[in-house]
Each structure stands twice: as structure tokens, then as C-alpha cells.
Amino acid sequence: MKIDSNPFFRRSITPWYDSDSACWGVIIFMLPILAFALAGLKTALTTPEFNPYIWLPSMLAGSSFFVIASITFRMIRRHRRG
């Protein structure tokens, strides 16, 4: 009897750090960081003494947005696959 390599009842096991609740937790945790970075960017742009330091809130905002976007796309792909 040949063993089916892809039976219909087998689903891939999602690790705990890639579960839906962990992904939502990371997204919720990153939203205040993104808001803090945008407030720092606004402050750095409006205060002339802080203009040389615009790179710091820009990097923080960019990285937090990248994390939020990548986790969102990962969750969308996982739910479309079924």
C-alpha cells in the first residue's frame, strides 16, 4: 500500500510565534511605536536645532511600518491558503 505524501487531513503546524494572536500582538505593539516615531519626525522637522537628527525618527518609523506591513501580508497569505 502506497503512503500518500500529501493526505487531505494533514495541515502544517504553525509555530507559536507565527500564530494569529502573536501576529496581532506584534502589530498592536508596533502601532504606538509608529505613532511615537511620527511625532518625533514632526518635532524634528519643526525645530531647526533638531534637523540633523531627522534620520532617527525616520528609521524608527520606517522599520516599524515595515514590520507591520510584512506581518499583515504574511497573515493575508496564510488565510488565503486556508
Side-chain angles (χ1 to χ4, degrees), residues 41-56:
L41 189 61
K42 181 181 175 189
T43 302
L45 288 173
T46 57
T47 308
E49 295 87 25
F50 296 151
N51 280 341
Y53 305 110
I54 289 176
W55 65 271
L56 184 64

Side-chain angles (χ1 to χ4, degrees), residues 8-76:
F8 67 93
F9 57 84
R10 184 182 297 174
R11 291 182 48 203
S12 62
I13 298 173
T14 305
W16 68 269
Y17 53 84
D18 200 24
S19 65
D20 285 341
S21 58
C23 288
W24 280 112
V26 171
I27 289 173
I28 290 171
F29 179 74
M30 293 303 287
L31 286 174
I33 294 174
L34 180 63
F36 177 73
L38 292 176
L41 189 61
K42 181 181 175 189
T43 302
L45 288 173
T46 57
T47 308
E49 295 87 25
F50 296 151
N51 280 341
Y53 305 110
I54 289 176
W55 65 271
L56 184 64
S58 300
M59 293 294 289
L60 184 62
S63 61
S64 63
F65 179 75
F66 177 74
V67 168
I68 291 170
S70 67
I71 289 176
T72 302
F73 290 139
R74 181 185 309 163
M75 289 177 62
I76 289 171

